[in-house]
């Protein structure tokens, strides 16, 4: 990956590279799946200065999508995934529907390429284990592109927690509201939010962001959960909830609520509050400066009044491309310097396990503990939890006027 780039070479022009000559280190990625996520990942790298990531190939089963993406992004396209994997790429960026995450990871690992794959890690906990085993066996790196672990705004919160500005966190809430076109729920042929291809509704789709972020910020683990699932749109039974509310209790005692929805009518945004024995943090991605910190510890920039640190941020869609750039270039750096990613596949699997715990609790209709889930999983597979889930979802659409 360390190659000499002569100035004015055709290669540098093709790659849109501004370096005039000298050594450049980068990782060649092939994109598998050229839909919505491919747009923000490629936009992120387009916006990077001298990126250590180059997209040198792409493939999508949908020929029209592939051609449009390849032309607009000037990334060479391949006729099959096999052809792409036979090319000289070092890694694949996998951006496909959830039910394909494990099988495509297996094929990529078998071809000896590193794997960066979008969240959620997989549709089942057993598939998460397979992905860990397959990449380990092939000796390639695996990271889940969990943008909430890489957002600079969340780095600021993590830093405040680490500095002790909040003291011991005992309370919090986090929200993601995403406006999706109603057809994503109403059209049975769109894979998003289906049980069989997506794994579940808004909670399965958006929830892993929240769990991965909270587990990291609190440096703790979920011990129990309660959950409500609702539909505000009259989607078919093959589609999961469009909104969810989860109450979590962490091992360190913190009580946190997680609210996600894919039908709220505002540009996509996220917000989080954490409250501790010494201070609080308020975050909202629709703000230009997304984080406010307050502490009663003396002698800090946040003492006795709200202070918003300067951080690279932009309301949606900006924060998506920022996070994609940070996570993609971080993974490339791990490959170049042979480091294990600090966001481990095991942590990504724990985020999926937290989601399964929430669904398990919704089905039970009362609080469920992680210990209980572990006992259940000794006798059943994780997918069995989702059986009959449509009956659990509250159908609220009868009185809704959209
Ligand atoms: N981080 C985020 O906030 C975020 C946002 C959107 C999507 N995502 C994730 O990105 C992934 C993709 O979601 P999306 O919204 O881009 O979906 P999408 O439907 O827009 O795109 C998926 C693409 O994969 C292609 N595809 C299907 N099977 C394939 C195969 N076997 N080989 C190659 N291509 C195949 C489809 O034709 C489609 O173009 C999912 O894991 C999703 O959860 C993450």
């Amino acid at each position: 990956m360390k190659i000499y780039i002569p100035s004015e070479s055709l290669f540098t022009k093709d790659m849109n590279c501004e370096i005039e000559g000298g050594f450049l280190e980068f990782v060649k990625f092939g994109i598998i799946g050229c839909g919505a996520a491919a747009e923000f990942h490629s936009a992120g790298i387009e916006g990077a200065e001298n990126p250590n990531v180059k997209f040198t190939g792409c493939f999508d089963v949908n020929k029209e999508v592939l051609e449009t993406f390849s032309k607009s992004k000037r990334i060479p396209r391949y006729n099959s995934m096999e052809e792409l994997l036979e090319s000289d790429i070092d890694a694949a960026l996998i951006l496909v529907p959830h039910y394909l995450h494990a099988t495509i990871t297996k094929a990529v690992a078998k071809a000896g390429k590193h794997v960066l794959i979008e969240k959620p890690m997989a549709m089942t906990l057993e598939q998460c284990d397979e992905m860990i085993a397959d990449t380990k066996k092939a000796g390639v790196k695996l990271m889940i592109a969990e943008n909430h672990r890489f957002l600079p705004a969340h780095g600021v919160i993590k830093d405040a927690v680490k500095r002790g500005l909040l003291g011991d966190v005992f309370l919090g809430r986090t929200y993601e509201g995403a406006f999706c076109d109603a057809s994503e729920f109403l059209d049975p042929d769109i894979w998003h939010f289906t049980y069989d291809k997506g794994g579940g509704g808004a909670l399965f789709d958006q929830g892993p962001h929240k769990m991965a972020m909270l587990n990291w910020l609190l440096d703790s683990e979920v011990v129990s959960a309660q959950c409500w699932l609702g539909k505000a749109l009259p989607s078919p039974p093959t589609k999961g909830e469009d909104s969810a509310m989860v109450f979590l209790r962490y091992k360190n005692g913190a009580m946190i609520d997680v609210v996600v929805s894919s039908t709220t009518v505002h540009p996509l945004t996220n917000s989080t509050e954490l409250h501790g024995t010494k201070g609080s943090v308020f975050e909202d991605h629709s703000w230009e400066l997304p984080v406010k910190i307050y502490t009663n510890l003396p002698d800090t920039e946040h003492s006795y009044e709200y202070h918003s640190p300067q951080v690279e941020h932009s309301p949606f869609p900006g924060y998506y491309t920022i996070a994609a750039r940070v996570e993609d270039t971080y993974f490339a750096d791990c490959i170049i310097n042979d480091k294990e990613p600090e966001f481990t596949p095991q942590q990504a699997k724990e985020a999926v396990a937290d989601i399964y715990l929430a669904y398990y609790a919704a089905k039970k209709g009362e609080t469920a503990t992680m210990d209980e889930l572990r006992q259940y999983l000794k006798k059943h597979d994780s997918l069995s939890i989702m059986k009959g889930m449509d009956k659990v979802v509250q159908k609220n659409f009868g009185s809704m006027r959209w």
Side-chain angles (χ1 to χ4, degrees):
M1 279 156 295
K2 195 163 190 177
I3 59 164
Y4 185 70
I5 309 284
S7 57
E8 293 304 312
S9 78
L10 190 66
F11 183 66
T12 51
K13 274 186 198 148
D14 279 350
M15 290 314 204
N16 213 5
C17 176
E18 286 170 11
I19 288 208
E20 295 220 332
F23 285 102
L24 177 70
E25 282 194 336
F26 59 77
V27 176
K28 285 176 266 175
F29 279 80
I31 295 178
I32 301 175
C34 304
E39 288 294 330
F40 64 77
H41 278 276
S42 52
I45 294 307
E46 273 164 22
E49 253 178 66
N50 301 330
N52 59 4
V53 170
K54 300 285 178 201
F55 295 129
T56 59
C58 59
F59 170 68
D60 194 296
V61 280
N62 183 323
K63 287 199 162 49
E64 221 178 294
V65 168
L66 176 62
E67 197 175 327
T68 309
F69 180 79
S70 160
K71 277 188 179 155
S72 70
K73 303 290 176 181
R74 299 196 300 136
I75 300 172
R77 59 182 177 275
Y78 287 79
N79 292 320
S80 69
M81 184 171 80
E82 290 67 32
E83 269 183 42
L84 173 63
L85 293 178
E86 278 163 17
S87 75
D88 69 345
I89 56 169
D90 307 299
L93 174 57
I94 305 174
L95 311 170
V96 296
H98 306 159
Y99 74 107
L100 295 169
H101 282 196
T103 47
I104 294 190
T105 295
K106 187 189 258 312
V108 172
K110 213 169 157 203
K113 315 292 183 183
H114 301 287
V115 177
L116 179 60
I117 181 163
E118 262 294 346
K119 56 58 40 185
M121 183 171 181
M123 249 179 59
T124 69
L125 294 171
E126 295 77 8
Q127 289 170 359
C128 294
D129 288 334
E130 281 169 31
M131 289 163 73
I132 293 171
D134 289 339
T135 48
K136 202 168 175 186
K137 189 172 160 205
V140 296
K141 295 190 195 302
L142 167 65
M143 192 178 93
I144 313 314
E146 176 42 77
N147 51 1
H148 289 239
R149 276 291 302 261
F150 293 93
L151 265 175
H154 290 171
V156 165
I157 301 178
K158 178 72 181 171
D159 189 50
V161 173
K162 266 168 74 181
R163 284 174 64 195
L165 298 180
L166 307 190
D168 298 323
V169 175
F170 56 86
L171 193 67
R173 55 163 290 275
T174 186
Y175 166 74
E176 180 172 84
F179 172 70
C180 289
D181 191 279
S183 64
E184 301 230 20
F185 282 99
L186 301 177
D187 183 345
D189 293 333
I190 295 181
W191 72 269
H192 287 107
F193 310 116
T194 57
Y195 289 111
D196 64 341
K197 293 185 173 162
L203 179 59
F204 204 89
D205 195 87
Q206 297 165 253
H209 287 311
K210 297 302 183 179
M211 305 310 183
M213 178 196 74
L214 289 169
N215 296 350
W216 172 59
L217 291 178
L218 297 175
D219 196 15
S220 186
E221 57 194 73
V222 172
V223 290
S224 62
Q226 284 191 21
C227 174
W228 283 358
L229 305 167
K231 280 190 179 188
L233 279 167
S235 56
T238 49
K239 298 261 186 173
E241 70 288 343
D242 46 48
S243 299
M245 193 172 259
V246 184
F247 302 94
L248 299 174
R249 182 178 287 278
Y250 273 81
K251 200 172 184 175
N252 68 357
M255 299 185 295
I256 313 276
D257 79 56
V258 175
V259 176
V260 291
S261 175
S262 295
T263 50
T264 43
V265 186
H266 57 72
L268 198 153
T269 196
N270 274 267
S271 61
T272 296
E273 280 173 30
L274 293 178
H275 305 285
T277 51
K278 304 284 179 211
S280 291
V281 61
F282 295 83
E283 181 218 32
D284 193 317
H285 291 175
S286 67
W287 301 338
E288 290 297 328
L289 277 181
V291 184
K292 287 181 192 174
I293 300 168
Y294 179 97
T295 182
N296 67 8
L297 287 180
D299 306 324
T300 85
E301 68 278 33
H302 308 286
S303 301
Y304 315 123
E305 59 182 2
Y306 289 123
H307 176 253
S308 296
Q310 289 293 332
V311 60
E312 185 187 11
H313 179 75
S314 174
F316 181 80
Y319 72 86
Y320 258 58
T321 50
I322 292 170
R325 189 201 75 225
V326 176
E327 67 192 344
D328 294 359
T329 55
Y330 171 73
F331 187 62
D333 184 56
C334 289
I335 295 172
I336 292 167
N337 294 303
D338 196 18
K339 292 186 300 197
E340 280 315 306
E342 67 149 278
F343 179 48
T344 65
Q346 193 58 36
Q347 291 169 347
K349 181 189 163 190
E350 274 159 30
V352 179
D354 295 341
I355 296 302
Y356 269 108
L357 177 64
Y359 279 117
Y360 186 86
K363 214 167 169 184
K364 194 178 167 199
E366 56 187 64
T367 304
T369 66
M370 194 55 97
D371 281 345
E372 227 179 303
L373 178 68
R374 286 195 194 105
Q375 290 304 321
Y376 176 89
L377 291 172
K378 282 185 185 163
K379 295 193 185 136
H380 309 86
D381 60 21
S382 51
L383 203 57
S384 65
I385 294 169
M386 303 309 288
K387 284 206 180 104
M389 195 56 73
D390 185 60
K391 291 194 183 70
V392 174
V393 179
Q394 300 171 43
K395 313 293 184 314
N396 302 325
F397 44 77
S399 55
M400 302 285 157
R401 285 171 301 145
W402 284 94

